[in-house]
Amino acid sequence: MEAILIGFMGSGKTTVGRLLADQLTTQHADLDDMIVERAGQAITAIFEQHGEGYFRQLEQQTLRGALAQPGVLSTGGGTPTIPANAAILTASPVPVICLAADDTTILDRVAHDTSRPLVNDLDTAALLALKHQRAPLYEAAADLVIQTDQLAPTEIVATIQDWLSQPARRSAQA
Ligand code: S3P
């Protein structure tokens, strides 16, 4: 694995991950897609039928497997907020990049999306409270945090590539 993207729902992890993988001429893996494949069910169905705890178990098992593969990994918004997953990410030598975005940017992107169970279940205030509660956990897990609101996906990818090419790159801010 060459890079791992973390961040809240709607922060652009999948879009940026695909583009970054293209630029690095490697493969892209999306942890949610891998979980869906493994479970044979959509994320909403997993949450509805088995509950979030079961989803988190699958997520952790899938994360361990994903780290052994080459390429760029886009995680789910909750992945690094689970202590066991945070420990897996911290123990891995793969750079972890957090895509940060303002509340309004996130709400614009996810508010009308019905494929995310937490968005379906939480009202706007609760969703933003979750975002704020998770922010320090993303920062703790990340080697690089990029504030993405004013950047196009190609610019975010260029920022990441630039940072990846620097020899000393831990706990940086871009
Ligand atoms: C979740 C985010 C989702 C998905 C699941 C739980 C979360 O991924 O893993 O619905 O806890 O924030 P995205 O960030 O790709 O939407």
Side-chain angles (χ1 to χ4, degrees):
M1 196 53 65
E2 291 172 56
I4 299 170
L5 299 182
I6 64 170
F8 199 69
M9 293 174 273
S11 58
K13 302 179 294 291
T14 302
T15 304
V16 170
R18 284 196 187 122
L19 258 180
L20 178 63
D22 280 354
Q23 288 298 314
L24 297 174
T25 54
T26 188
Q27 64 194 49
H28 175 250
D30 187 278
L31 196 63
D32 283 342
D33 289 349
M34 294 172 80
I35 295 168
V36 166
E37 202 175 310
R38 189 173 189 144
Q41 279 186 309
I43 303 276
T44 42
I46 301 172
F47 268 69
E48 268 170 36
Q49 291 176 25
H50 308 284
E52 183 172 347
Y54 178 73
F55 172 81
R56 297 298 172 196
Q57 282 176 27
L58 281 181
E59 183 180 48
Q60 193 178 315
Q61 290 160 7
T62 311
L63 176 65
R64 284 186 199 280
L67 287 181
Q69 295 176 14
V72 173
L73 177 70
S74 299
T75 58
T79 310
T81 71
I82 305 297
N85 295 341
I88 293 170
L89 293 176
T90 308
S92 144
V94 182
V96 176
I97 297 145
C98 173
L99 303 184
D102 288 342
D103 294 354
T104 46
T105 304
I106 294 294
L107 288 179
D108 280 354
R109 290 187 189 153
V110 305
H112 301 294
D113 183 352
T114 55
S115 70
R116 291 178 165 109
L118 294 179
V119 174
N120 296 340
D121 290 351
L122 301 175
D123 63 19
T124 302
L127 192 65
L128 290 182
L130 181 67
K131 178 177 181 285
H132 297 162
Q133 179 197 319
R134 286 176 168 183
L137 303 174
Y138 295 134
E139 289 189 16
D143 299 306
L144 173 72
V145 180
I146 303 176
Q147 193 63 37
T148 61
D149 302 272
Q150 307 300 325
L151 300 176
T154 49
E155 294 173 306
I156 299 169
V157 167
T159 304
I160 296 172
Q161 283 194 281
D162 193 37
W163 178 78
L164 284 174
S165 67
Q166 291 169 18
R169 50 176 161 81
R170 288 206 79 85
S171 306
Q173 291 279 331

